[in-house]
Amino acid sequence: MHKDGNAIAGVLEEIFTVEVTAETRTCQSCGQENAIGAHRLFTGAGYVLRCPNCSDVAATIATVPGDYRVTLFGAWSVQPPQ
Amino acid sequence: MERLAGTEARLSWRVATITESKPESPHAKTLVLDVPGWPGQRAGQHVDIRLTAEDGYQSERSYSIASAPETPALELTIDRVEDGEVSPYLTEEARPGDQFELRGPVGGYFVWEATSDQPLLLVAGGSGLVPLMAILRQHELVGSGAGTRLLLSARTLEDVLYRQELEALRDRAEAVTVHLTLTRDTPPPEWSGWARRVDRAMLEAVGPGPDARPRVYVCGPTPFVEEAAGLLVEIGYDPRSVHTERFGG
C-alpha cells in the first residue's frame, strides 16, 4: 500500500545530499506543483514516486548494492547544499 | 568533497542505546534512547532504524519521533506490526542497554514550526498519533498560542497511546482540544467521545473550519489517511495545507 515521499526522506537525502521533501516538483504531465514529501510512494525492489494529482511517474529509484539508480521526471526545485 | 563529508556526518548511521522501554498500549512501546552526537530534531520528523542479523541480513524501517525537540532524550513509540521484521524485536525483545543503528532526523515536509501562530488541526489514526504527539508536546513546552484541535481515532480505549497525558493536556492546555473516537469497542458508559469511524460530520464538529485556514496534519494507516484527507478537501480545506503521512497497510 502506498505511503508518502516523506517516508523516504532519508534515502532522498542520501541521493541529493540535502533534505528535499519540503521542496517542490512540477509535474511534466499535469503541470501541478507539489511538495516532494506529498508525492505518493510505492515500494518494491526500489521506490517509485508518483504525482499526487495525476499519478504520473515523478521518480524511479532502484537500489543496487551500495548504490542507487535514479531517474527523475518533471521539474524538481531543489536547493543546492549550503 | 567538503559538503559531502558534512552531509555524511549529519545523516550517518549512529549507534542508539535503549535506556528505557515503556509500554504505551498492549502492542506499543516507547523506547527512550541515548544517541551520542544526536543533532536535534523538529517536531514531526522521523528516524530510519537499521537492524543487522548475525548473518549480515539488514532490515530498515522508519519510525516517528515522539519526544519534543526540547526534551533531551530521544523517544520513539513503536507499534508492533504482526509478521513485521523490525517492530516485534523493538517492542518485545529489546531491553535497556541493547543497541541498534539509527540515522536522522529526516523529513522536512511533515514538520511543525513552533514559532507559528497558525491554527492547527491534527488528525491521527492509531499510532499515527506519534509524530503529532511531538507537535503537541512542543506546543505545550514552548507555550504556543496556536489554537490546536486533535482528533484521534483508535480501535479501543486501551489502544489510545499516551492516554493519561492526553487527558491531562485536555484539562490543562487552554489552546488545545482533544477529541477521541473509538471504532471497535463498545465504549464505557461514561464515554463522552465518539464511537464510529472518522466521517465528515465529525471533522466539521472538531474544526476549526476552512475559513480559519489551519495547518492540517493527518497521520495513520494509508486507508485512514486517504479517507480523512479526502473528507478534509471535500469540506473545503486547501489541499496544500493538508500534510499527510501514511504508514502503509
Side-chain angles (χ1 to χ4, degrees), chain B residues 61-226:
Chain B
R61 292 292 183 277
S62 296
Y63 293 101
S64 294
I65 298 169
S67 47
E70 288 74 12
T71 309
L74 184 69
E75 297 187 16
L76 310 176
T77 301
I78 293 155
D79 199 26
R80 189 182 68 229
V81 176
E82 298 302 332
D83 307 324
E85 284 187 1
V86 174
S87 63
Y89 167 76
L90 293 175
T91 53
E92 283 165 20
E93 291 177 46
R95 298 280 176 271
D98 288 351
Q99 297 183 318
F100 52 82
E101 287 181 293
L102 170 152
R103 72 174 179 187
V106 290
Y109 169 68
F110 197 85
V111 295
W112 179 59
E113 291 304 331
T115 51
S116 170
D117 286 335
Q118 189 180 1
L120 283 172
L121 172 55
L122 312 176
V123 183
S127 60
L129 177 61
V130 178
L132 306 184
M133 200 63 197
I135 294 174
L136 286 167
R137 285 169 167 167
Q138 182 175 36
H139 185 282
E140 196 189 12
L141 284 169
V142 303
S144 169
T148 299
R149 320 269 175 106
L150 168 72
L151 172 59
L152 169 64
S153 171
R155 282 172 296 192
T156 70
L157 198 53
E158 64 175 13
D159 288 316
V160 174
L161 301 174
Y162 323 117
R163 196 168 131 205
Q164 288 180 338
E165 196 177 341
L166 287 178
E167 280 166 11
L169 196 65
R170 174 157 54 184
D171 295 339
R172 190 176 54 233
E174 275 180 24
V176 179
T177 59
V178 176
H179 304 264
L180 298 180
T181 187
L182 303 177
T183 58
R184 294 263 175 93
D185 234 4
T186 307
E190 72 280 13
W191 180 245
S192 60
W194 286 293
R196 61 178 200 266
R197 297 167 86 88
V198 169
D199 56 26
R200 182 171 173 154
M202 195 184 290
L203 288 166
E204 284 173 335
V206 170
D211 291 347
R213 307 181 73 80
R215 196 171 164 88
V216 186
Y217 295 86
V218 187
C219 187
T222 300
F224 174 87
V225 174
E226 292 285 289

Side-chain angles (χ1 to χ4, degrees), chain A:
Chain A
M1 199 162 280
H2 74 275
K3 299 184 184 178
D4 307 85
N6 191 47
I8 52 163
V11 169
L12 292 171
E13 190 167 329
E14 270 186 89
I15 292 166
F16 286 94
T17 76
V18 283
E19 145 55 32
V20 297
T21 54
E23 308 288 349
T24 62
R25 168 189 165 273
T26 302
C27 183
Q28 74 279 5
S29 281
C30 69
Q32 201 180 88
E33 185 180 10
N34 283 288
I36 289 156
H39 279 60
R40 293 190 184 128
L41 172 72
F42 296 81
T43 55
Y47 307 99
V48 176
L49 279 176
R50 290 182 178 275
C51 173
N53 182 51
C54 76
S55 296
D56 203 1
V57 177
T60 61
I61 302 169
T63 50
V64 291
D67 207 355
Y68 293 108
R69 298 288 155 79
V70 183
T71 312
L72 304 178
F73 303 87
W76 290 58
S77 302
V78 175
Q79 297 295 317
Q82 298 294 309

